[in-house]
Amino acid sequence: MSRPAFLLRPEPGWSASAAAARTIGLKVEGEPLAKVEAVAWQIPDRRFDGLLVGSANVFRHGGRSLDRLRDLPVHCVGETTADAALESGFIVETVGHGGLANVVNSLAGRRLKLLRPGGEARIALDPPAGIEVTDAVVYRLRHIPISSALTQNLGRGGVVLLHSAELARHFAAECERLGLSRDRLELVLIGPRLLPAAGDRWRAIHIAERPDDAALLALAAQVCSKVG
């Protein structure tokens, strides 16, 4: 009998991942533990050659200021973000694989001033020579406590899917607050950068071979099917 898989990412990602999970025979439980909220922001007063975007949330919550930047090419972390950019009327120049750092490194040899709109929490980048990156906060995550029903289900054990370091940190803190036993829970992380946020003492930790939802769900399905 397969173990339960708990999906915790915010909407609309929760529903998208749940639908994708069903196509591979993985049944997910859980609930969003965060809500994405727009932040009032202004475009920095300088010229930019393009946008560097690590989340589709930028196009969902960037607002009117982002609309003013539609003439700039977009360098996206992956296909989901690229799809959101195209749906919002932007021109996508780069679609990366393996994280935003790889996207920046792929632009080496060019002289570019890039605006990186994103959330309050973000990974640090070390751009190659000639690439300048300016950050702008356009959205934030508001974390949500684990409900009593989910607490009971997690207490029985299972496999927890984590899509971001922010979510991993919040989930670990909630487990401590609620006294949930970590040794009954296995984590499936979208990438190794989540490890410091997730912490230790879990039954096991597994890392997807690629930092995307499809790879995360495929690994979760394998872990859930294992007995013992």
Side-chain angles (χ1 to χ4, degrees):
M1 181 177 180
S2 63
R3 289 173 290 168
F6 296 99
L7 183 62
L8 308 175
R9 70 186 306 197
E11 291 286 14
W14 198 101
S15 294
S17 291
R22 287 193 291 270
T23 67
I24 62 171
L26 175 64
K27 295 182 179 180
V28 295
E29 303 177 19
E31 60 196 27
L33 291 189
K35 181 178 180 180
V36 184
E37 299 177 334
V39 172
W41 71 288
Q42 294 183 343
I43 301 170
D45 188 18
R46 62 181 306 186
R47 181 186 63 81
F48 293 102
D49 302 305
L51 301 178
L52 180 65
V53 184
S55 172
N57 284 321
V58 167
F59 300 102
R60 298 182 186 120
H61 302 281
R64 292 182 179 178
S65 291
L66 191 68
D67 291 341
R68 293 166 52 197
L69 300 172
R70 281 205 183 100
D71 60 328
L72 296 179
V74 184
H75 307 279
C76 297
V77 70
E79 293 181 1
T80 299
T81 304
D83 289 343
L86 293 171
E87 290 173 5
S88 298
F90 287 81
I91 297 173
V92 174
E93 181 174 317
T94 306
V95 181
H97 300 280
L100 204 58
N102 287 349
V103 176
V104 176
N105 290 334
S106 74
L107 303 174
R110 302 170 63 179
R111 301 193 66 82
L112 297 171
K113 292 181 174 63
L114 302 177
L115 175 65
R116 177 168 71 153
E120 287 182 325
R122 61 189 63 207
I123 62 170
L125 294 176
D126 184 18
I131 306 292
E132 297 181 25
V133 178
T134 301
D135 290 331
V137 175
V138 306
Y139 70 88
R140 67 167 63 93
L141 285 181
R142 178 171 60 83
H143 292 115
I144 301 170
I146 294 176
S147 68
S148 57
L150 181 55
T151 299
Q152 291 182 355
N153 292 337
L154 287 167
R156 301 186 185 101
V159 178
V160 179
L161 287 65
L162 294 171
H163 284 77
S164 71
E166 282 186 276
L167 185 58
R169 189 174 296 108
H170 174 58
F171 178 70
E174 281 292 277
C175 286
E176 289 298 312
R177 181 180 70 85
L178 296 167
L180 285 167
S181 177
R182 295 190 180 202
D183 59 12
R184 303 190 67 180
L185 297 169
E186 295 193 40
L187 305 186
V188 178
L189 310 181
I190 202 165
R193 67 183 181 85
L194 275 65
L195 284 168
D200 53 17
R201 296 183 288 112
W202 305 101
R203 178 177 178 178
I205 296 179
H206 311 270
I207 300 175
E209 63 179 14
R210 301 185 314 277
D212 61 52
D213 192 46
L216 184 74
L217 293 172
L219 178 56
Q222 294 177 17
V223 174
C224 287
S225 66
K226 293 180 181 178
V227 179

